[in-house]
PDB file of all heavy atoms in Angstrom:
ATOM      1  N   ILE I 124     -17.903  14.300  35.937  1.00  0.00           N
ATOM      2  CA  ILE I 124     -18.490  14.263  37.273  1.00  0.00           C
ATOM      3  C   ILE I 124     -17.737  15.262  38.139  1.00  0.00           C
ATOM      4  O   ILE I 124     -16.520  15.153  38.319  1.00  0.00           O
ATOM      5  CB  ILE I 124     -18.403  12.852  37.894  1.00  0.00           C
ATOM      6  CG1 ILE I 124     -19.193  11.848  37.035  1.00  0.00           C
ATOM      7  CG2 ILE I 124     -18.940  12.854  39.324  1.00  0.00           C
ATOM      8  CD1 ILE I 124     -19.115  10.430  37.549  1.00  0.00           C
ATOM      9  N   GLY I 125     -18.473  16.244  38.653  1.00  0.00           N
ATOM     10  CA  GLY I 125     -17.826  17.287  39.450  1.00  0.00           C
ATOM     11  C   GLY I 125     -16.834  18.096  38.646  1.00  0.00           C
ATOM     12  O   GLY I 125     -15.824  18.580  39.189  1.00  0.00           O
ATOM     13  N   GLY I 126     -17.095  18.226  37.356  1.00  0.00           N
ATOM     14  CA  GLY I 126     -16.211  18.996  36.497  1.00  0.00           C
ATOM     15  C   GLY I 126     -15.004  18.236  36.000  1.00  0.00           C
ATOM     16  O   GLY I 126     -14.196  18.788  35.247  1.00  0.00           O
ATOM     17  N   GLU I 127     -14.864  16.989  36.404  1.00  0.00           N
ATOM     18  CA  GLU I 127     -13.732  16.181  35.985  1.00  0.00           C
ATOM     19  C   GLU I 127     -14.208  15.051  35.062  1.00  0.00           C
ATOM     20  O   GLU I 127     -15.262  14.456  35.290  1.00  0.00           O
ATOM     21  CB  GLU I 127     -13.026  15.567  37.203  1.00  0.00           C
ATOM     22  CG  GLU I 127     -12.379  16.578  38.122  1.00  0.00           C
ATOM     23  CD  GLU I 127     -11.166  17.229  37.482  1.00  0.00           C
ATOM     24  OE1 GLU I 127     -10.546  16.582  36.604  1.00  0.00           O
ATOM     25  OE2 GLU I 127     -10.831  18.367  37.849  1.00  0.00           O
ATOM     26  N   PRO I 128     -13.457  14.740  34.002  1.00  0.00           N
ATOM     27  CA  PRO I 128     -13.841  13.633  33.120  1.00  0.00           C
ATOM     28  C   PRO I 128     -13.702  12.300  33.849  1.00  0.00           C
ATOM     29  O   PRO I 128     -12.836  12.140  34.714  1.00  0.00           O
ATOM     30  CB  PRO I 128     -12.840  13.737  31.962  1.00  0.00           C
ATOM     31  CG  PRO I 128     -11.650  14.403  32.572  1.00  0.00           C
ATOM     32  CD  PRO I 128     -12.193  15.370  33.589  1.00  0.00           C
ATOM     33  N   ILE I 129     -14.558  11.346  33.515  1.00  0.00           N
ATOM     34  CA  ILE I 129     -14.499  10.051  34.208  1.00  0.00           C
ATOM     35  C   ILE I 129     -13.303   9.226  33.736  1.00  0.00           C
ATOM     36  O   ILE I 129     -12.851   8.332  34.451  1.00  0.00           O
ATOM     37  CB  ILE I 129     -15.800   9.241  34.002  1.00  0.00           C
ATOM     38  CG1 ILE I 129     -16.037   8.948  32.511  1.00  0.00           C
ATOM     39  CG2 ILE I 129     -16.983   9.961  34.593  1.00  0.00           C
ATOM     40  CD1 ILE I 129     -17.199   7.990  32.275  1.00  0.00           C
ATOM     41  N   PHE I 130     -12.797   9.526  32.526  1.00  0.00           N
ATOM     42  CA  PHE I 130     -11.632   8.815  32.009  1.00  0.00           C
ATOM     43  C   PHE I 130     -10.427   9.750  31.965  1.00  0.00           C
ATOM     44  O   PHE I 130     -10.562  10.937  31.665  1.00  0.00           O
ATOM     45  CB  PHE I 130     -11.886   8.275  30.599  1.00  0.00           C
ATOM     46  CG  PHE I 130     -12.940   7.210  30.532  1.00  0.00           C
ATOM     47  CD1 PHE I 130     -13.790   7.117  29.447  1.00  0.00           C
ATOM     48  CD2 PHE I 130     -13.083   6.284  31.558  1.00  0.00           C
ATOM     49  CE1 PHE I 130     -14.766   6.135  29.378  1.00  0.00           C
ATOM     50  CE2 PHE I 130     -14.042   5.304  31.508  1.00  0.00           C
ATOM     51  CZ  PHE I 130     -14.893   5.226  30.415  1.00  0.00           C
ATOM     52  N   GLN I 131      -9.259   9.224  32.237  1.00  0.00           N
ATOM     53  CA  GLN I 131      -8.024   9.993  32.121  1.00  0.00           C
ATOM     54  C   GLN I 131      -7.872  10.502  30.698  1.00  0.00           C
ATOM     55  O   GLN I 131      -7.956   9.738  29.740  1.00  0.00           O
ATOM     56  CB  GLN I 131      -6.833   9.109  32.497  1.00  0.00           C
ATOM     57  CG  GLN I 131      -5.496   9.801  32.420  1.00  0.00           C
ATOM     58  CD  GLN I 131      -4.362   8.865  32.795  1.00  0.00           C
ATOM     59  OE1 GLN I 131      -4.576   7.774  33.280  1.00  0.00           O
ATOM     60  NE2 GLN I 131      -3.142   9.294  32.557  1.00  0.00           N
ATOM     61  N   GLU I 132      -7.685  11.804  30.552  1.00  0.00           N
ATOM     62  CA  GLU I 132      -7.616  12.400  29.232  1.00  0.00           C
ATOM     63  C   GLU I 132      -6.423  11.859  28.448  1.00  0.00           C
ATOM     64  O   GLU I 132      -5.311  11.752  28.978  1.00  0.00           O
ATOM     65  CB  GLU I 132      -7.520  13.925  29.342  1.00  0.00           C
ATOM     66  CG  GLU I 132      -8.793  14.569  29.874  1.00  0.00           C
ATOM     67  CD  GLU I 132      -8.723  16.081  29.866  1.00  0.00           C
ATOM     68  OE1 GLU I 132      -7.644  16.606  29.523  1.00  0.00           O
ATOM     69  OE2 GLU I 132      -9.724  16.733  30.197  1.00  0.00           O
ATOM     70  N   GLY I 133      -6.674  11.510  27.181  1.00  0.00           N
ATOM     71  CA  GLY I 133      -5.646  10.944  26.329  1.00  0.00           C
ATOM     72  C   GLY I 133      -5.536   9.436  26.420  1.00  0.00           C
ATOM     73  O   GLY I 133      -4.808   8.825  25.630  1.00  0.00           O
ATOM     74  N   SER I 134      -6.261   8.816  27.355  1.00  0.00           N
ATOM     75  CA  SER I 134      -6.181   7.355  27.534  1.00  0.00           C
ATOM     76  C   SER I 134      -7.546   6.698  27.368  1.00  0.00           C
ATOM     77  O   SER I 134      -7.741   5.560  27.794  1.00  0.00           O
ATOM     78  CB  SER I 134      -5.621   7.025  28.924  1.00  0.00           C
ATOM     79  OG  SER I 134      -4.335   7.542  29.091  1.00  0.00           O
ATOM     80  N   GLU I 135      -8.482   7.415  26.739  1.00  0.00           N
ATOM     81  CA  GLU I 135      -9.841   6.883  26.623  1.00  0.00           C
ATOM     82  C   GLU I 135      -9.888   5.565  25.846  1.00  0.00           C
ATOM     83  O   GLU I 135     -10.637   4.648  26.199  1.00  0.00           O
ATOM     84  CB  GLU I 135     -10.761   7.908  25.945  1.00  0.00           C
ATOM     85  CG  GLU I 135     -10.987   9.179  26.749  1.00  0.00           C
ATOM     86  CD  GLU I 135      -9.931  10.229  26.499  1.00  0.00           C
ATOM     87  OE1 GLU I 135      -8.994   9.928  25.736  1.00  0.00           O
ATOM     88  OE2 GLU I 135     -10.057  11.342  27.045  1.00  0.00           O
ATOM     89  N   THR I 136      -9.081   5.468  24.786  1.00  0.00           N
ATOM     90  CA  THR I 136      -9.105   4.242  23.976  1.00  0.00           C
ATOM     91  C   THR I 136      -8.545   3.055  24.743  1.00  0.00           C
ATOM     92  O   THR I 136      -9.113   1.954  24.723  1.00  0.00           O
ATOM     93  CB  THR I 136      -8.303   4.448  22.677  1.00  0.00           C
ATOM     94  OG1 THR I 136      -8.850   5.553  21.950  1.00  0.00           O
ATOM     95  CG2 THR I 136      -8.383   3.204  21.805  1.00  0.00           C
ATOM     96  N   ILE I 137      -7.426   3.273  25.441  1.00  0.00           N
ATOM     97  CA  ILE I 137      -6.828   2.211  26.244  1.00  0.00           C
ATOM     98  C   ILE I 137      -7.786   1.776  27.347  1.00  0.00           C
ATOM     99  O   ILE I 137      -7.983   0.578  27.599  1.00  0.00           O
ATOM    100  CB  ILE I 137      -5.496   2.680  26.854  1.00  0.00           C
ATOM    101  CG1 ILE I 137      -4.456   2.886  25.752  1.00  0.00           C
ATOM    102  CG2 ILE I 137      -4.992   1.677  27.882  1.00  0.00           C
ATOM    103  CD1 ILE I 137      -4.046   1.610  25.054  1.00  0.00           C
ATOM    104  N   LEU I 138      -8.398   2.743  28.015  1.00  0.00           N
ATOM    105  CA  LEU I 138      -9.359   2.430  29.067  1.00  0.00           C
ATOM    106  C   LEU I 138     -10.566   1.688  28.501  1.00  0.00           C
ATOM    107  O   LEU I 138     -11.073   0.754  29.119  1.00  0.00           O
ATOM    108  CB  LEU I 138      -9.806   3.716  29.762  1.00  0.00           C
ATOM    109  CG  LEU I 138      -8.755   4.368  30.664  1.00  0.00           C
ATOM    110  CD1 LEU I 138      -9.204   5.757  31.095  1.00  0.00           C
ATOM    111  CD2 LEU I 138      -8.493   3.507  31.880  1.00  0.00           C
ATOM    112  N   GLY I 139     -11.016   2.119  27.329  1.00  0.00           N
ATOM    113  CA  GLY I 139     -12.136   1.430  26.695  1.00  0.00           C
ATOM    114  C   GLY I 139     -11.816  -0.013  26.380  1.00  0.00           C
ATOM    115  O   GLY I 139     -12.658  -0.907  26.551  1.00  0.00           O
ATOM    116  N   LEU I 140     -10.586  -0.257  25.933  1.00  0.00           N
ATOM    117  CA  LEU I 140     -10.160  -1.627  25.649  1.00  0.00           C
ATOM    118  C   LEU I 140     -10.146  -2.465  26.927  1.00  0.00           C
ATOM    119  O   LEU I 140     -10.604  -3.611  26.944  1.00  0.00           O
ATOM    120  CB  LEU I 140      -8.777  -1.618  25.011  1.00  0.00           C
ATOM    121  CG  LEU I 140      -8.214  -2.968  24.559  1.00  0.00           C
ATOM    122  CD1 LEU I 140      -9.083  -3.590  23.494  1.00  0.00           C
ATOM    123  CD2 LEU I 140      -6.779  -2.798  24.050  1.00  0.00           C
ATOM    124  N   GLY I 141      -9.624  -1.879  28.019  1.00  0.00           N
ATOM    125  CA  GLY I 141      -9.585  -2.613  29.284  1.00  0.00           C
ATOM    126  C   GLY I 141     -10.969  -2.879  29.834  1.00  0.00           C
ATOM    127  O   GLY I 141     -11.277  -4.000  30.261  1.00  0.00           O
ATOM    128  N   ILE I 142     -11.819  -1.862  29.823  1.00  0.00           N
ATOM    129  CA  ILE I 142     -13.188  -2.036  30.311  1.00  0.00           C
ATOM    130  C   ILE I 142     -13.935  -3.030  29.429  1.00  0.00           C
ATOM    131  O   ILE I 142     -14.694  -3.877  29.916  1.00  0.00           O
ATOM    132  CB  ILE I 142     -13.919  -0.677  30.353  1.00  0.00           C
ATOM    133  CG1 ILE I 142     -13.265   0.242  31.378  1.00  0.00           C
ATOM    134  CG2 ILE I 142     -15.393  -0.864  30.681  1.00  0.00           C
ATOM    135  CD1 ILE I 142     -13.782   1.663  31.364  1.00  0.00           C
TER     136      ILE I 142
END
Side-chain angles (χ1 to χ4, degrees):
I124 298 178
E127 295 290 334
I129 61 172
F130 294 145
Q131 180 180 350
E132 292 185 355
S134 299
E135 294 87 357
T136 302
I137 293 294
L138 288 169
L140 184 62
I142 295 172

